């Protein structure tokens, strides 16, 4: 075997780079989204052992919805990519290009076993540039083919060294072969087929048997004329070791999938569910279709499912001629190669083994697979094709007059293929370019129309997306997913009635109940989302909540392991205030997936609603253990610790708020709550800094402005509070507590009774029953020495609050003052006060009453749509409603912090926490101090 020179390696790498340099600018498209973006097994927070428990897409192998694609070594390389560059697509594509170059070099080494130096280089160059490989190299998920091919070729090369110079067995290469076969299989299932290639090489190349010789030897042994020759016994021993090792791998593989084949629908592979002879005729016709793609890769398509290739339903279909020609040509090649011992025959038989054996698992001939045609599964079979082409050109070039023509053909072939490959890479730049290029090849595949619609939907171009989704329903009227997409798009266009109609059409296409038959075997998991999407749509109507719940329960009855149904139902039950049932729904979902941080978060929200903060904190912590930067869990758990009033929790709450603002640097609520926490800890400088940051991010942030002003007031910086209050009232002119605080500062620190009076009068104009504003206005009248008016004002206040002793006491003080002044003959109203009263007094005839309640939380609701079938998202389902409410004072002095709630829009009535009790005590102390000050004013001269 001639070694591979560095010049040849450099040439191959140069060709690979020249063809695939532009793949580095491509993103994650098509299956990459599920395998990379949505696959939690890539995240460092996921235990490494999960890679060996889950399928290629991150779904536990034990679940029925699993694809049963067991490729842990491939996922491990994705995880390494994520470790170095997270979700930077360029690094994933770069590694794929490097792996393809490695495969090309190994393939050249293999070709040197049965081709001359020039022909083997031609085969390797053709393999390097062949356009059929674009999906395997430029599509990130094609790495499974690349890795499996590396180990497959390495295993074959190792096996070729298992015969010593004296024709004895060398066991070390055989042991290495078995290890490499296992590695190839753990990258992709077809890796195990290298054992068959090794067997073919051992029998027909290494031992030099032809088919007639093999049959003659067997006949003699059977007839007892002669025993097995020693060389044959050695061959059988090696093959037995290989076969037993292969059987062990197969047994282990069957155990991994728990003896269950994956569930595919007629939309994935229509022929698989067709009757005889349609199924057989169609599957056999797919063989020449794949062969044509290798011969003429001019029209490539990323998806060949659904109606791409119409079923061959009759033996009279003309396409059966293509099947007949393919089998005839393949049979002639096999017959020729098995009849002779010369090198040409050995080259052909090895080429055929590389074409046929690795393709068998994807052929649909022995068991159905989830596709009709897939270009990336031709990656290894194309090696045999390239060997045949290179060998054919060598045979032709030996004829003198054809030598120049053959080299010209090679040059043209390599050039056109390289250009086609480079241009094809641009199609993989984005999902939109990929699927629109596919529609140029095939317009009868509803999945392609749907995927172009998805790409447009991701760009928020809903109107155009709707046209593509509607076209999908026209191409495939019974496509459940297409009708679901139409419904989701109508919903995004705020056309609820049309959306519901589309969902109902999709629901009507779901299979009906068949007693004794499991739905899971007949329903694609994604199609069950129609119940979730329809329920999510109608539950916006409060009168249809029970109807929505019935849909969730129907989905669960069809698939008891349908995790998303439990999640969405839990949200609905929370909205319906059925807290125990909501908790049970989330607990059931957690039985199915205990590694889902969103589920632990949702369960914590239920605990909060059930007034169980300690359990809520435990579940928040569990969510953060699984996902340390889970934003909502960080925020809500920090608030929960802050609400507890326990100073021991404050440092951890502060750390979580800081982590939250790292994740959401533009969210003013994070900085505001850091400020509130600093106020609790009497860290005024830090509180001021955080409040200023919140206000800078959100102009007119009411709670931040008020509490900053309150902070200044408590810090004896009342004058600094005034411009903050002015800004607050400019944005929120009806902010009563802001007016009270401003009036208090103006009267007590600026001695501006006119300004204070204006504040209190504005309060009474908005809320005539406000006792505090009314009482403070009475004090202003007293300050203006308008005693009769102060008396009338206090009488009106007492009528509003007959049980308030301080009002009664203040009225007694004013009346006593009036009596003393009358006895002394002094005027009861100063000239200045009378003038002001005449100008500013407004009649007030509204009956007033005292309202002493804790201020209700204010709720800001946010909705976020996800990706996929009607945006059934992770954790919180189709809609994530996040309530962020602000904090304000309830009296002259003091702060009442509200809480960040989650997932539903209902306002929550909280029990009194330790912190709230402390706040109330602070407010009482402040009120007593204020009363003493007012009584001093009223008792003075």
């Amino acid at each position: 075997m001639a070694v591979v020179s560095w010049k040849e390696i450099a040439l191959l790498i140069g060709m690979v780079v020249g063809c695939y340099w532009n793949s580095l600018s491509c993103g994650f498209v098509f299956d990459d989204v599920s395998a990379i973006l949505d696959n939690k097994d890539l995240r460092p927070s996921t235990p490494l052992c999960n890679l060996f428990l889950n399928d290629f897409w991150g779904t536990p192998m034990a679940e029925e919805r699993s694809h049963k694609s067991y490729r842990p070594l491939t996922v491990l390389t994705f995880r390494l990519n994520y470790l170095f560059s997270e979700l930077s697509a360029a690094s994933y594509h770069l590694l794929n290009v490097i792996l393809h170059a490695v495969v090309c070099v190994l393939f050249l080494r293999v070709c040197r076993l049965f081709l001359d130096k020039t022909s083997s280089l031609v085969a390797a160059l053709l393999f390097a540039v062949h356009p059929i490989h674009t999906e395997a190299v430029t599509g990130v998920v094609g790495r499974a083919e690349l890795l499996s091919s590396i180990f497959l070729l390495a295993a074959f090369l190792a096996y070729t060294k298992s015969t010593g110079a004296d024709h004895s067995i060398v066991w070390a290469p055989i042991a290495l072969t078995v290890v490499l076969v296992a590695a190839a299989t753990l990258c992709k299932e077809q890796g195990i087929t290298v054992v068959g290639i090794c067997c073919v090489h051992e029998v027909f190349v290494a031992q030099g048997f032809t088919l007639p010789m093999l049959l003659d030897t067997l006949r003699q042994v059977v007839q007892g004329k002669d025993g097995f020759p020693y060389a044959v016994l050695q061959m059988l021993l090696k093959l037995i070791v290989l076969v037993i090792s292969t059987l062990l791998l197969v047994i282990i593989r069957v155990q991994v999938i728990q003896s269950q084949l994956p569930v595919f629908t007629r939309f994935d592979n229509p022929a698989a569910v067709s009757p005889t002879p349609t199924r057989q005729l169609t599957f056999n016709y797919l063989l020449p279709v794949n062969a044509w793609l290798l011969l003429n890769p001019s029209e490539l398509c990323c998806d060949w499912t659904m109606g791409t290739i119409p079923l061959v339903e009759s033996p009279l279909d003309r396409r059966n001629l293509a099947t007949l020609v393919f089998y005839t040509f393949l049979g002639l090649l096999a017959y020729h190669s098995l009849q002779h011992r010369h090198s040409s025959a050995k080259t052909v038989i090895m080429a055929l083994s590389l074409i046929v054996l690795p393709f068998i698992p994807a052929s649909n001939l022995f068991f159905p697979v989830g596709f009709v045609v897939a270009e990336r599964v031709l990656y290894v079979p194309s090696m045999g094709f390239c060997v045949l082409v290179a060998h054919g050109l060598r045979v032709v070039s030996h004829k003198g007059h054809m030598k120049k023509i053959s080299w010209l053909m090679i040059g043209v072939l390599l050039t056109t293929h390289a250009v086609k490959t480079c241009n094809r890479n641009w199609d993989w730049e984005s999902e939109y370019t990929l699927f629109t290029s596919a529609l140029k090849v095939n317009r009868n595949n509803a999945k392609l129309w749907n995927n172009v619609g998805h790409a447009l939907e991701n760009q928020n171009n809903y109107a155009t997306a709707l046209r593509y989704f509607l076209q999908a329903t026209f191409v495939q009227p019974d496509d459940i997913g297409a009708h679901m997409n139409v419904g989701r798009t109508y919903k995004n266009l705020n056309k609820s009635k049309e959306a519901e109609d589309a969902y109902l059409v999709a629901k009507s296409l779901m299979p009906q109940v068949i007693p004794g038959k499991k739905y899971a075997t007949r329903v694609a998991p994604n199609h069950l989302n129609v119940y979730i999407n329809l329920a999510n749509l109608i539950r916006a109507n409060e009168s249809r909540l029970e109807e929505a719940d019935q849909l969730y329960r129907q989905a669960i009855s069809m698939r008891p392991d349908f995790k998303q149904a439990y999640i969405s139902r839990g949200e609905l039950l929370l909205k319906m205030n059925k807290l125990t049932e909501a908790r049970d729904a989330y607990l059931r979902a957690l039985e199915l997936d205990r590694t889902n941080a969103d589920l632990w978060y949702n369960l914590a929200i239920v605990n909060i609603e059930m007034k169980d903060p300690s359990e809520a904190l435990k579940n928040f912590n569990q969510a953060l253990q699984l996902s340390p930067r889970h934003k909502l869990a960080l925020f809500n758990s920090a608030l929960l610790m802050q609400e507890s009033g326990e100073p021991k929790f404050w440092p951890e709450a502060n750390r979580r708020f800081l982590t939250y603002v790292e994740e959401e640097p533009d969210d003013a609520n994070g900085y505001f709550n850091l400020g509130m926490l600093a106020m609790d800890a009497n860290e005024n400088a830090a509180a001021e800094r955080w409040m200023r940051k919140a206000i800078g991010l959100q102009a007119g942030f009411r709670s931040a402005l008020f509490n900053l002003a309150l902070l200044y007031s408590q810090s004896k910086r009342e004058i600094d509070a005034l411009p903050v209050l002015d800004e607050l009232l400019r944005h929120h002119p009806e902010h009563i507590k802001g007016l009270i605080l401003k009036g208090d500062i103006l009267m007590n620190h600026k001695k501006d009774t006119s300004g204070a009076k204006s504040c209190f009068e504005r309060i009474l104009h908005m809320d005539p029953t406000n006792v505090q504003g009314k009482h403070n206005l009475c004090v202003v009248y007293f300050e203006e020495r308008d005693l009769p008016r102060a008396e009338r004002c206090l009488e009106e206040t007492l009528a509003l609050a007959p049980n308030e002793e301080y009002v009664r006491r203040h009225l007694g003080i004013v009346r006593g003052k009036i009596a003393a002044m009358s006895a002394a003959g002094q005027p009861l109203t100063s000239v200045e006060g009378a003038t002001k009263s005449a100008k500013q007094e407004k009649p007030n005839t509204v009956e007033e009453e005292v309202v002493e309640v804790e201020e209700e939380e204010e709720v800001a609701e946010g909705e976020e749509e996800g990706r996929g079938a009607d945006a059934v998202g992770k954790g919180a389902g189709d809609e994530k409603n996040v309530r962020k409410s602000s904090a304000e004072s309830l009296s002259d002095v003091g702060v009442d912090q509200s809480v960040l709630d989650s997932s539903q829009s209902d306002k929550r009535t909280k029990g009194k926490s330790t912190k709230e009790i402390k706040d109330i005590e602070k407010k009482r102390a402040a009120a007593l101090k204020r009363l003493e000050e007012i009584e001093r004013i009223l008792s003075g001269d």
Side-chain angles (χ1 to χ4, degrees):
M1 179 181 69
V3 297
V4 177
S5 69
W6 285 107
K7 289 183 179 179
E8 291 170 325
I9 293 174
L11 178 60
L12 283 172
I13 292 174
M15 292 293 284
V16 170
V17 172
C19 289
Y20 289 101
W21 64 270
N22 55 341
S23 70
L24 302 185
S25 63
C26 298
F28 295 116
V29 298
F30 204 16
D31 290 339
D32 297 347
V33 175
S34 299
I36 308 297
L37 298 182
D38 298 338
N39 192 346
K40 292 183 179 180
D41 287 347
L42 271 63
R43 279 50 173 180
S45 58
T46 302
L48 200 60
C49 62
N50 281 24
L51 273 64
F52 297 89
L53 300 175
N54 298 340
D55 66 15
F56 186 56
W57 316 97
T59 304
M61 294 291 290
E63 293 189 11
E64 285 182 297
R65 62 190 179 92
S66 170
H67 196 272
K68 309 302 180 186
S69 306
Y70 190 64
R71 304 164 191 173
L73 294 187
T74 304
V75 179
L76 180 61
T77 66
F78 293 152
R79 184 162 174 145
L80 292 173
N81 267 122
Y82 188 91
L83 182 64
F84 287 107
S85 63
E86 294 193 349
L87 295 177
S88 172
S91 73
Y92 293 78
H93 290 294
L94 176 61
L95 185 53
N96 271 25
V97 173
I98 293 172
L99 292 173
H100 180 54
V102 173
V103 174
C104 292
V105 174
L106 286 173
F107 178 54
L108 178 58
R109 291 284 303 272
V110 170
C111 290
R112 289 283 159 85
L113 294 173
F114 32 82
L115 285 174
D116 61 41
K117 184 174 182 180
T118 301
S119 298
S120 60
L121 182 60
V122 169
L125 289 172
L126 180 58
F127 179 81
V129 303
H130 201 297
I132 201 69
H133 300 154
T134 310
E135 183 173 346
V137 180
T138 308
V140 177
V141 296
R143 187 176 300 176
E145 269 73 25
L146 304 176
L147 289 169
S148 180
S149 298
I150 288 174
F151 290 115
L152 181 148
L153 294 173
F156 179 70
L157 288 171
Y159 184 78
T160 60
K161 299 178 181 179
S162 63
T163 302
D166 57 351
H167 300 288
S168 62
I169 300 175
V170 183
W171 290 106
I174 294 177
L176 179 60
T177 298
V178 172
V179 172
L180 291 171
V181 170
T185 307
L186 291 174
C187 292
K188 191 172 183 182
E189 297 77 6
Q190 70 180 25
I192 202 170
T193 60
V194 69
V195 173
I197 299 172
C198 291
C199 291
V200 171
H201 179 271
E202 179 67 30
V203 175
F204 298 105
V205 178
Q207 301 299 329
F209 278 102
T210 62
L211 188 59
M213 291 173 60
L214 194 60
L215 293 175
D216 185 59
T217 301
L218 289 173
R219 184 173 59 254
Q220 290 183 13
V221 171
V222 171
Q223 293 175 354
K225 295 181 180 179
D226 196 4
F228 282 113
Y230 180 72
V232 174
L233 289 175
Q234 282 191 312
M235 177 189 74
L236 288 175
L237 182 58
K238 290 165 69 174
L239 295 183
I240 288 171
V241 171
L242 278 182
V243 170
I244 291 176
S245 301
T246 303
L247 289 175
L248 287 175
L249 286 175
V250 170
I251 292 171
I252 293 171
R253 184 68 175 82
V254 170
Q255 289 297 316
V256 166
I257 66 173
Q258 298 185 356
S259 304
Q260 292 179 340
L261 289 174
V263 177
F264 300 118
T265 69
R266 59 192 175 86
F267 301 108
D268 299 316
N269 192 345
V273 295
S274 299
T276 302
T278 299
R279 182 171 64 256
Q280 290 77 14
L281 291 174
T282 303
F283 284 155
N284 281 279
Y285 171 67
L286 295 180
L287 301 179
V289 170
N290 282 279
W292 182 249
L293 287 174
L294 290 173
L295 282 168
N296 180 31
S298 59
E299 292 188 339
L300 300 178
C301 182
C302 62
D303 191 289
W304 295 82
T305 56
M306 304 187 84
T308 302
I309 300 176
L311 297 174
V312 181
E313 299 179 306
S314 167
L316 300 179
D317 193 308
R318 289 180 297 177
R319 290 175 293 173
N320 290 318
L321 291 175
T323 306
L324 183 61
V325 170
F326 171 80
Y327 276 115
T328 300
F329 179 74
L330 192 67
L332 289 173
L333 280 177
Y335 178 79
H336 167 78
S337 61
L338 292 172
Q339 290 293 321
H340 304 282
R341 298 186 64 179
H342 52 70
S343 61
S344 177
K346 293 179 180 180
T347 299
V348 172
I349 194 63
M350 289 309 303
L352 290 177
S353 67
L354 281 169
I355 292 174
V356 174
L357 295 177
F359 186 72
I360 286 176
S363 66
N364 281 292
L365 295 178
F366 298 98
F367 48 83
V369 294
F371 53 83
V372 179
V373 173
E375 293 165 11
R376 63 174 175 261
V377 303
L378 294 174
Y379 189 77
V380 176
S382 69
M383 294 178 185
F385 171 78
C386 292
V387 170
L388 281 180
V389 172
H391 178 60
L393 287 171
R394 183 186 66 173
V395 172
V396 172
S397 65
H398 283 170
K399 300 177 181 180
H401 64 284
M402 294 295 294
K403 187 171 184 179
K404 292 183 178 179
I405 295 177
S406 62
W407 279 108
L408 178 63
M409 291 172 59
I410 291 172
V412 171
L413 186 64
L414 292 176
T415 302
T416 54
H417 275 32
V419 171
K420 171 64 178 178
T421 298
C422 191
N423 288 334
R424 175 64 174 160
N425 288 332
W426 293 119
D427 292 339
W428 288 79
E429 185 175 17
S430 68
E431 293 203 323
Y432 180 77
T433 56
L434 178 64
F435 296 125
T436 51
S437 70
L439 281 176
K440 295 175 185 176
V441 176
N442 171 35
R443 302 181 67 84
N444 295 321
N445 186 339
K447 190 174 179 180
L448 294 176
W449 292 99
N450 280 320
N451 285 333
V452 175
H454 285 308
L456 291 166
E457 187 180 36
N458 291 336
Q459 302 170 9
N460 296 325
N461 189 353
Y462 299 123
T464 308
L466 180 61
R467 293 203 297 271
Y468 280 90
F469 290 141
L470 289 171
Q471 180 64 26
T473 63
F474 176 78
V475 171
Q476 187 89 31
D478 59 350
D479 182 5
I480 298 172
H483 291 285
M484 290 168 62
N485 292 333
V486 171
R488 183 184 63 257
T489 310
Y490 273 131
K491 180 184 177 184
N492 289 332
L493 292 170
N494 296 318
K495 296 182 177 181
S496 299
K497 179 62 172 64
E498 291 85 348
E500 184 174 350
D501 291 342
Y503 285 142
L504 289 173
V505 172
K507 182 172 175 286
S508 69
L509 293 171
M510 293 292 287
Q512 301 302 309
V513 176
I514 298 178
K517 186 155 186 176
K518 295 175 67 175
Y519 274 99
T521 61
R522 301 181 295 115
V523 181
N526 285 340
H527 288 170
L528 281 175
N529 286 329
V530 66
Y531 295 98
I532 306 299
N533 299 339
L534 181 57
N536 289 344
L537 177 70
I538 67 175
R539 77 181 193 183
N541 185 339
E542 295 289 336
S543 65
R544 303 181 69 182
L545 297 182
E546 290 294 343
E547 184 180 349
D549 188 35
Q550 176 62 32
L551 287 167
Y552 290 137
R553 284 186 280 121
Q554 187 172 356
I556 291 170
S557 69
M558 296 179 77
R559 282 192 75 99
D561 65 343
F562 191 14
K563 179 178 63 180
Q564 188 58 53
Y566 292 105
I567 294 172
S568 298
R569 185 166 185 251
E571 293 178 354
L572 178 67
L573 293 168
L574 189 60
K575 183 176 183 178
M576 298 169 70
N577 203 33
K578 297 181 178 180
L579 302 180
T580 302
E581 293 182 56
R583 181 193 60 195
D584 293 343
Y586 286 131
L587 289 173
R588 177 69 181 105
L590 281 168
E591 290 177 11
L592 299 171
D593 183 7
R594 297 191 65 82
T595 63
N596 189 318
D598 293 320
L599 281 175
W600 290 103
Y601 169 80
N602 288 352
L603 182 59
I605 296 303
V606 175
N607 295 141
I608 290 176
E609 296 290 342
M610 298 179 75
K611 306 294 187 283
D612 191 352
S614 60
E615 192 66 25
L617 188 57
K618 288 180 184 177
N619 291 324
F620 279 138
N621 291 339
Q622 185 68 33
L624 291 171
Q625 184 177 345
L626 293 167
S627 178
R629 303 186 81 83
H630 191 290
K631 291 181 285 191
L632 292 179
L634 284 168
F635 201 117
N636 283 278
S637 62
L639 278 175
L640 197 59
M641 288 187 284
Q642 186 180 1
E643 275 189 312
S644 70
E646 295 290 341
K648 64 180 182 182
F649 288 135
W650 291 351
E652 177 62 16
N654 190 73
R655 186 194 66 79
R656 293 188 184 188
F657 278 135
L658 288 172
T659 306
Y660 175 79
V661 297
E662 288 176 9
E663 294 292 306
E664 293 287 343
D666 297 326
D667 186 2
N669 289 282
Y671 299 101
F672 165 73
N673 283 283
L674 277 169
M676 297 303 296
L677 193 62
M679 288 180 69
D680 287 341
N682 294 319
E683 297 173 357
N684 293 344
E688 179 181 359
R689 184 174 71 256
W690 293 125
M691 292 295 183
R692 288 287 183 189
K693 180 72 173 177
I695 295 166
L697 286 171
Q698 182 179 325
F701 192 161
R702 187 177 71 175
S703 301
L705 286 166
F706 178 76
N707 283 288
L708 179 59
L710 198 59
L711 175 66
Y712 286 145
S713 177
Q714 293 173 331
S715 305
K716 309 301 182 184
R717 298 170 58 187
E718 289 83 357
I719 304 305
D720 292 336
L722 285 176
V724 179
L725 288 168
D726 288 338
E727 183 179 355
L728 169 66
L729 294 171
R730 179 167 59 84
H731 288 283
H732 308 283
E734 297 182 355
H735 195 284
I736 291 177
K737 291 187 290 296
L739 287 167
I740 288 176
L741 182 57
K742 182 180 179 181
D744 181 74
I745 293 173
L746 289 174
M747 185 167 66
N748 292 307
H749 300 279
K750 296 282 287 184
K751 305 304 180 184
D752 181 1
T753 56
S754 176
K757 184 177 183 180
S758 175
C759 291
F760 300 140
E761 287 178 340
R762 282 173 61 185
I763 293 171
L764 293 176
H765 178 73
M766 292 181 289
D767 180 15
T769 64
N770 190 290
V771 175
Q772 191 173 10
K774 184 78 170 176
H775 177 265
N776 288 0
L777 183 61
C778 301
V779 176
V780 172
Y781 292 150
F782 188 86
E783 288 283 340
E784 292 178 341
R785 297 294 187 267
D786 190 347
L787 298 183
R789 193 170 188 186
E791 181 184 22
R792 292 196 304 274
C793 179
L794 286 167
E795 288 173 347
E796 293 171 359
T797 305
L798 187 61
L800 288 172
N803 296 322
E804 292 294 344
E805 186 59 34
Y806 74 91
V807 178
R808 190 182 306 278
R809 188 166 63 253
H810 293 169
L811 178 58
I813 292 172
V814 172
R815 285 175 174 171
K817 192 75 170 179
I818 290 173
M821 291 178 69
S822 297
Q826 296 177 355
L828 299 180
T829 305
S830 67
V831 175
E832 181 182 4
T835 303
K836 290 182 180 179
S837 298
K839 288 181 180 180
Q840 297 178 4
E841 184 173 8
K842 296 179 182 178
N844 187 354
T845 59
V846 180
E847 289 291 330
E848 299 175 341
E849 61 183 36
V850 176
V851 180
E852 281 289 334
V853 295
E854 184 175 350
E855 182 176 298
E856 195 173 35
E857 297 174 11
E858 295 170 2
V859 179
E861 192 173 79
E863 181 174 302
E864 180 179 305
E865 294 282 347
R867 176 191 173 90
D870 204 42
V872 177
K874 296 176 288 186
D878 185 39
E879 299 170 353
K880 292 181 182 177
N881 296 329
V882 181
R883 299 189 310 198
K884 293 187 178 181
S885 54
S886 303
E888 297 185 359
S889 169
L890 287 176
S891 64
D892 290 330
V893 182
V895 179
D896 175 39
Q897 286 180 246
S898 56
V899 71
L900 174 69
D901 201 355
S902 167
S903 192
Q904 297 298 332
S905 59
D906 303 49
K907 294 178 179 178
R908 190 169 69 226
T909 303
K910 301 179 296 182
K912 293 280 192 300
S913 67
T914 305
K915 181 183 181 306
E916 288 171 326
I917 293 171
K918 291 181 179 179
D919 284 343
I920 292 170
E921 294 299 329
K922 286 168 63 179
K923 293 166 191 173
R924 286 175 179 168
L928 288 173
K929 184 177 179 181
R930 177 73 180 132
L931 286 175
E932 291 172 359
E933 184 178 348
I934 291 172
E935 290 181 1
R936 178 184 56 77
I937 294 172
L938 294 174
S939 301
D941 293 330

